[in-house]
Amino acid sequence: MSENKNEKLKNITEKEDVLLNVKNLQVSFDTYGGEVKAVRGVNFKLDKGETLAVVGESGCGKSVTAQSIMQLIPMPPGRIKSGEVWLDGRDLLKYSDKEMEKVRGKEISMIFQDPMTSLNPTMKVGKQIMEALIKHQNMSKSEAKDKAVEMLKLVGLPNPERRAEQYAHEYSGGMRQRAMIAIALSCNPKLLIADEPTTALDVTIQAQIMDLMADLQKKLDTAIILITHDLGVVADVAKKIAVMYAGVIIEYGTYKDIFYNPKHPYTWGLLLSVPRLDVKKDLRLVPIEGTPPDLIAPPKGCPFAARCENAMKICKEKMPEEIKVNGSEEGEHFARCWLYHDLAPKVDNPVTKRRAKLNE
């Protein structure tokens, strides 16, 4: 049987509710200093109507992964070296630019990181929503205008008729982000990628935007990939969480797995550095010492080894495989860590220890 037939058979036998399947995605950027290996073999699946949070510190490859799914990275200097991105049984990485134009906005939409600069300052907001509707839904201008007003109302903007006739500079930061969500959801896409959607907003507006996205997801049954560096933001939103570090997913599981039974030392560090407002005890935040590795010359072993208190000799010499660890009954829980090898010494989980101390 040919390779193409094998791939088709493989995807037919996939679980029916899998919407997105990313396999061994590798992305590099060619610079004067050398090849930056930004994404180094990322794998994950996303079911229809589900939310996956991708978390990690700046520069770990979160946004590059998302932009590669939509083929939005500049090429050159960017290069998708290898991998597959299956959306409803189609490998998007084999699509031409023209074919991807039909996918972007219609089947996959994206909310970009900074709402203050993502909207076109020379066009009325309503007209920016209308553009996608006319292109992908074949609506007339009058139909698209009515739908634009409806979308602004759906995302909670007051006086949507008047707001549709205004420009971006007449909106506040929170209103601009709501307008971006309206544009992204106007064609009812199967997948919404939200890249740090609350970064430039104050804490109160952050909570409102996250609540809005969760509410709209229930109404429209849209799958969401939420990219963030803040684990506190995703606690009540994501069903599954992928923790990225140095271009690699180093832990993957349900929100219960990651928050209540984390396995990777890097995930421990992220959780120990999250401020807690629900406890009265003096609780010091524990920083992760050191800096991420240089991805022009990434380490051959575990990328976190240089910053890990529990690093062993093998950690610096060989990259650990994905190891299935004890997780919740709701899904699979994987970690890339040598601590879960049969011969590794047992190490106490500092997150569990702190939780026990707080409950004393």
Side-chain angles (χ1 to χ4, degrees):
M1 192 181 284
S2 69
E3 189 177 338
N4 286 340
K5 285 183 179 177
N6 275 326
E7 285 297 342
K8 286 180 182 177
L9 187 61
K10 189 190 297 183
N11 282 281
I12 289 169
T13 55
E14 286 265 22
K15 201 168 69 170
E16 285 185 7
D17 55 355
V18 173
L19 173 67
L20 183 73
N21 190 356
V22 176
K23 301 177 182 180
N24 192 32
L25 182 65
Q26 298 186 41
V27 185
S28 290
F29 291 88
D30 295 313
T31 69
Y32 290 111
E35 179 190 351
V36 179
K37 298 171 183 175
V39 176
R40 304 186 296 139
V42 163
N43 299 277
F44 65 85
K45 292 180 183 178
L46 181 66
D47 292 346
K48 294 173 182 176
E50 188 178 62
T51 299
L52 168 71
V54 183
V55 300
E57 59 196 288
S58 297
C60 71
K62 307 183 301 293
S63 296
V64 174
T65 299
Q67 289 169 12
S68 299
I69 290 171
M70 297 185 71
Q71 293 192 36
L72 287 177
I73 62 168
M75 295 188 282
R79 280 187 293 128
I80 298 177
K81 293 177 68 177
S82 67
E84 302 168 19
V85 176
W86 292 92
L87 178 74
D88 271 350
R90 297 161 294 155
D91 187 0
L92 298 184
L93 295 189
K94 293 179 180 175
Y95 274 31
S96 65
D97 288 341
K98 253 189 176 178
E99 289 172 319
M100 279 305 297
E101 283 180 14
K102 296 175 182 177
V103 174
R104 297 188 198 109
K106 184 178 181 181
E107 296 186 67
I108 307 178
S109 288
M110 191 165 185
I111 303 171
F112 293 96
Q113 193 161 355
D114 187 2
M116 310 304 281
T117 57
S118 297
L119 291 168
N120 188 333
T122 67
M123 289 175 64
K124 293 177 181 178
V125 172
K127 194 169 182 182
Q128 293 183 56
I129 302 174
M130 289 168 60
E131 269 191 328
L133 293 166
I134 292 169
K135 180 174 182 178
H136 295 301
Q137 302 292 322
N138 296 320
M139 289 187 179
S140 65
K141 284 188 177 180
S142 60
E143 289 173 330
K145 188 173 182 180
D146 291 341
K147 181 69 175 179
V149 172
E150 182 187 325
M151 290 304 301
L152 290 175
K153 184 178 181 180
L154 186 66
V155 297
L157 283 177
N159 303 317
E161 293 86 358
R162 184 167 67 90
R163 294 297 181 189
E165 295 298 317
Q166 292 181 328
Y167 293 90
H169 72 271
E170 299 176 83
Y171 280 46
S172 67
M175 289 167 66
R176 291 186 195 190
Q177 195 60 292
R178 287 173 186 268
M180 285 297 301
I181 294 172
I183 293 170
L185 294 177
S186 60
C187 295
N188 196 14
K190 299 172 184 176
L191 173 63
L192 174 66
I193 300 174
D195 187 2
E196 302 272 11
T198 59
T199 295
L201 308 175
D202 62 64
V203 177
T204 306
I205 303 301
Q206 281 184 14
Q208 291 177 8
I209 294 298
M210 295 308 298
D211 288 343
L212 172 64
M213 288 177 60
D215 183 49
L216 290 174
Q217 183 182 34
K218 289 177 185 175
K219 289 180 181 176
L220 304 174
D221 195 33
T222 302
I224 296 176
I225 295 177
L226 175 63
I227 296 169
T228 181
H229 61 274
D230 186 356
L231 271 170
V233 168
V234 305
D236 298 323
V237 179
K239 182 180 178 183
K240 292 179 182 174
I241 298 174
V243 182
M244 279 194 79
Y245 184 78
V248 180
I249 292 178
I250 48 92
E251 186 165 4
Y252 177 89
T254 66
Y255 77 95
K256 288 182 181 178
D257 295 331
I258 302 301
F259 280 97
Y260 299 106
N261 191 25
K263 294 296 184 181
H264 199 283
Y266 178 62
T267 312
W268 297 345
L270 290 179
L271 288 167
L272 291 172
S273 63
V274 174
R276 293 282 297 272
L277 302 178
D278 58 335
V279 292
K280 294 181 180 179
K281 293 186 179 183
D282 180 23
L283 186 65
R284 292 189 177 185
L285 301 183
V286 182
I288 303 174
E289 300 292 343
T291 58
D294 181 1
L295 292 183
I296 290 179
K300 62 180 180 179
C302 173
F304 191 62
R307 305 172 73 183
C308 181
E309 295 178 357
N310 305 298
M312 300 171 284
K313 186 178 179 181
I314 193 170
C315 299
K316 297 176 182 178
E317 294 177 352
K318 189 176 180 182
M319 170 76 84
E321 299 291 328
E322 288 183 349
I323 299 172
K324 189 171 182 179
V325 292
N326 294 328
S328 67
E329 296 177 359
E330 296 178 28
E332 296 179 326
H333 186 185
F334 292 94
R336 279 184 178 268
C337 185
W338 285 113
L339 289 176
Y340 303 102
H341 191 276
D342 293 338
L343 300 177
K346 291 195 175 180
V347 175
D348 289 333
N349 185 329
V351 177
T352 305
K353 284 176 69 177
R354 184 174 77 165
R355 192 171 289 122
K357 187 176 179 181
L358 292 173
N359 292 331
E360 288 176 356

